[in-house]
Each structure stands twice: as structure tokens, then as C-alpha cells.
């Protein structure tokens, strides 16, 4: 890889997990997580951040990101300014993986295995913990995921997952940018295009196109997020369908941590 500093070259690649995201963001926001299977990533502690924007990219496996990185100027830039980590994936399914990202708990501990389980669960996730501590939160997700947060956090936007994937991601980008203008303490946003293309049977070209659209969105998001905002971009699992399905260990996702670039 030309021009990309891979933090994993100098760090133990098994040291990080998706479970570390919630405790890392909680530490930045000054919140206590009641329980966690992960640990806060210490490297970001002295970056001076007091807000966080978590961008979940469905099916952003670590190898896939490395493969596409040369075409993605914005994620490349963030990786060079911050950290690009190879993070252990805790589930190959979306709902339990996202529940682990947002709770810091292993699937066997949060027991959120499907969309119905997400609605019924009493496990507290990061947006709920932040909102109950009085932090301004925005959640932008597909409709079912967003419904879980209705009435619990200040700003909730659901997007229909029956939209074509590029339209879904354009809408997620628009809503994320709009939410960032209000300078939330915590923002959680979700992009679907890579995963939908994998399920639709698209080859690498289709998946690359979806990833490039997302990279343009990341460019807009990083320009709007200020320097006190920790950006965390991560996959929920490696590609789990179609011709590019990851079928052997290690199952790892990409995780980028960096600061926003907007001044003040
Ligand atoms: Zn997924």
C-alpha cells in the first residue's frame, strides 16, 4: 500500500476488537459504561476530543478496505491523520455485530440476535447511556434500527431499507451532515451500500462503486466534524454474502479513528 500508514504494522493486530468502540467513545464523552467486554483504546485519549461521530459501514472488512483504499482519498487521509486498525469481528451478522459495537458486549452477553430482539432488549447501548446523561445525540439508521431509539435520544432518523442502496447512502449522508451542523455530543450513522451490493451479487466493481460513494460521504462528514469530534469509522463484519464472501479466519473489520477537520 503506497501512502497509507498501517498502524497494524507496528501494533499487535489481535489487540483490537469492535468491542472496544463503545468504551473508547464513552471515555471520550466522560461516561461510565455499566459493563463492557472491550477496553478503551488509549491512543485517542490525548487527542483533545469531547464529542464522537460513529459511522458504521456495513460489510467493511479489513481486507476489503485495504484493497479499495487507493481509490478512496478521504478514508486514506483519515487513516494517515489518525489510526487504521484491524479489529476482530464478533459476529458475521449485522444485528448482533452492531449491538456489540454500540454496547461493548459480546453477542452471548447482549443476546440481541435479530431486529425483534433489539427492540425488546433491556441492554443499554451507548446512545441511550449518553442521552440519559444529558448529552445531545443523533442516530441515523435503517428504519428498524432507528425505531429502537425513538423517544430515547434527541434526534432519530430512520431510512427505509427498501430504497436502492445508493439512494439509502445518499440519504444517510444528507441526514448525517445535517445532524453535524447541530454539533451533537454523539452521532451514530449507518451506511448500507457495500453490504447490499454484496447481497445483490455485485462483483468487485459494484462494491467499489458503493464504497466510493461512501468515501465521498466521509469527505463531507470529516469536513463538517470539528477537531473536538472523534470520528470512528468501522465495519460490522467482513463481506458475508456473494462472490467476495469472506470464508476463512481471521474475520476482521476495518476501524479508523481520527479527528474531524472543521475548525472550531
Ligand atoms: Zn452487516
Amino acid at each position: 500500500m503506497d501512502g497509507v500508514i498501517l498502524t497494524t504494522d507496528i501494533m499487535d493486530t489481535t489487540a483490537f476488537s469492535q468491542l472496544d468502540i463503545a468504551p473508547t467513545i464513552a471515555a471520550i464523552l466522560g461516561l461510565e459504561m455499566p459493563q463492557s467486554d472491550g477496553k478503551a483504546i488509549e491512543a485517542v485519549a490525548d487527542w483533545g476530543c469531547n464529542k464522537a461521530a460513529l459511522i458504521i459501514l456495513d460489510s467493511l472488512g479489513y481486507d476489503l478496505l485495504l484493497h479499495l483504499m487507493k481509490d478512496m482519498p478521504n478514508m486514506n487521509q483519515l487513516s494517515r491523520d489518525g489510526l487504521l486498525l484491524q479489529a476482530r469481528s464478533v459476529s458475521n451478522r449485522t444485528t448482533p455485530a452492531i449491538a456489540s459495537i454500540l454496547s461493548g458486549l459480546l453477542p452471548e452477553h447482549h443476546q440481541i440476535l435479530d431486529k425483534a430482539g433489539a427492540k425488546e432488549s433491556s441492554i443499554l447501548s451507548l446512545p441511550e447511556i449518553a442521552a440519559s446523561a444529558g448529552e445531545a445525540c443523533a442516530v441515523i439508521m435503517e428504519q428498524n434500527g432507528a425505531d429502537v431509539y425513538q423517544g430515547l435520544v434527541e434526534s432519530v432518523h430512520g431510512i427505509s431499507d427498501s430504497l436502492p442502496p445508493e439512494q439509502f447512502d445518499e440519504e444517510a449522508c444528507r441526514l448525517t451532515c445535517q445532524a453535524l451542523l447541530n454539533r451533537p455530543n454523539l452521532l451514530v450513522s449507518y451506511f448500507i451500500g457495500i453490504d447490499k451490493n454484496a447481497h445483490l451479487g455485485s462483483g468487485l466493481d459494484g462494491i467499489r462503486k458503493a464504497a466510493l460513494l461512501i468515501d465521498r460521504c466521509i469527505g463531507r462528514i470529516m469536513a463538517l466534524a470539528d477537531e473536538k469530534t472523534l470520528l470512528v469509522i468501522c465495519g460490522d463484519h467482513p463481506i458475508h454474502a456473494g462472490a467476495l464472501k469472506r470464508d476463512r479466519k481471521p474475520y476482521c473489520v476495518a476501524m479508523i479513528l481520527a479527528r474531524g477537520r472543521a475548525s472550531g
Side-chain angles (χ1 to χ4, degrees):
M1 293 292 304
D2 291 335
V4 178
I5 298 164
L6 297 180
T7 310
T8 44
D9 288 347
I10 50 170
M11 289 188 181
D12 175 0
T13 55
T14 60
F16 301 98
S17 154
Q18 293 172 310
L19 301 168
D20 302 335
I21 293 172
T24 300
I25 292 177
I28 290 291
L29 298 178
L31 300 170
E32 286 284 332
M33 292 294 288
Q35 50 196 345
S36 173
D37 294 316
K39 58 185 185 323
I41 297 169
E42 288 176 11
V44 304
D46 60 358
W47 289 4
C49 296
N50 58 12
K51 301 191 285 290
L54 169 59
I55 315 290
I56 300 169
L57 305 184
D58 204 318
S59 279
L60 187 72
Y62 181 71
D63 293 342
L64 180 71
L65 178 74
L66 291 192
H67 189 76
L68 298 176
M69 188 70 108
K70 65 181 185 313
D71 300 321
M72 300 199 293
N74 296 307
M75 287 208 252
N76 197 323
Q77 184 70 51
L78 283 181
S79 300
R80 289 205 280 174
D81 291 351
L83 298 173
L84 167 60
L85 303 175
Q86 181 176 14
R88 288 192 313 281
S89 168
V90 297
S91 172
N92 71 346
R93 291 170 52 221
T94 300
T95 300
I98 292 182
S100 287
I101 291 170
L102 292 175
S103 68
L105 295 172
L106 286 162
E108 55 263 43
H109 292 157
H110 63 58
Q111 291 285 332
I112 297 172
L113 305 176
D114 53 28
K115 287 171 182 174
K119 279 190 185 166
E120 287 159 14
S121 174
S122 59
I123 296 284
L124 288 177
S125 69
L126 195 56
E128 292 162 270
I129 294 167
S132 56
E135 309 256 5
C137 298
V139 172
I140 295 136
M141 279 190 188
E142 54 85 30
Q143 192 67 56
N144 276 303
D147 286 348
V148 172
Y149 293 101
Q150 287 292 357
L152 297 174
V153 310
E154 190 178 303
S155 169
V156 181
H157 298 278
I159 306 172
S160 166
D161 61 7
S162 62
L163 285 178
E166 60 280 1
Q167 238 172 289
F168 183 106
D169 284 352
E170 293 281 9
E171 183 66 356
C173 181
R174 186 184 70 78
L175 291 166
T176 302
C177 290
Q178 197 177 66
L180 281 171
L181 295 176
N182 295 325
R183 298 270 181 260
N185 300 99
L186 173 65
L187 176 145
V188 178
S189 177
Y190 170 72
F191 290 76
I192 211 167
I194 296 171
D195 184 71
K196 281 277 182 186
N197 271 278
H199 283 277
L200 289 168
S202 304
L204 187 57
D205 282 350
I207 286 171
R208 178 184 283 112
K209 205 171 156 202
L212 298 197
L213 187 157
I214 291 171
D215 189 65
R216 288 195 294 278
C217 297
I218 297 292
R220 292 173 58 191
I221 290 166
M222 63 199 246
L224 281 169
D226 64 38
E227 292 168 326
K228 296 239 175 231
T229 300
L230 176 70
L231 293 172
V232 180
I233 298 169
C234 73
D236 54 349
H237 49 72
I239 288 183
H240 61 179
L244 297 174
K245 177 178 173 177
R246 175 103 188 160
D247 56 6
R248 63 185 191 284
K249 290 183 176 180
Y251 294 101
C252 290
V253 296
M255 187 154 89
I256 300 171
L257 300 112
R259 294 191 301 163
R261 297 166 67 86
S263 48

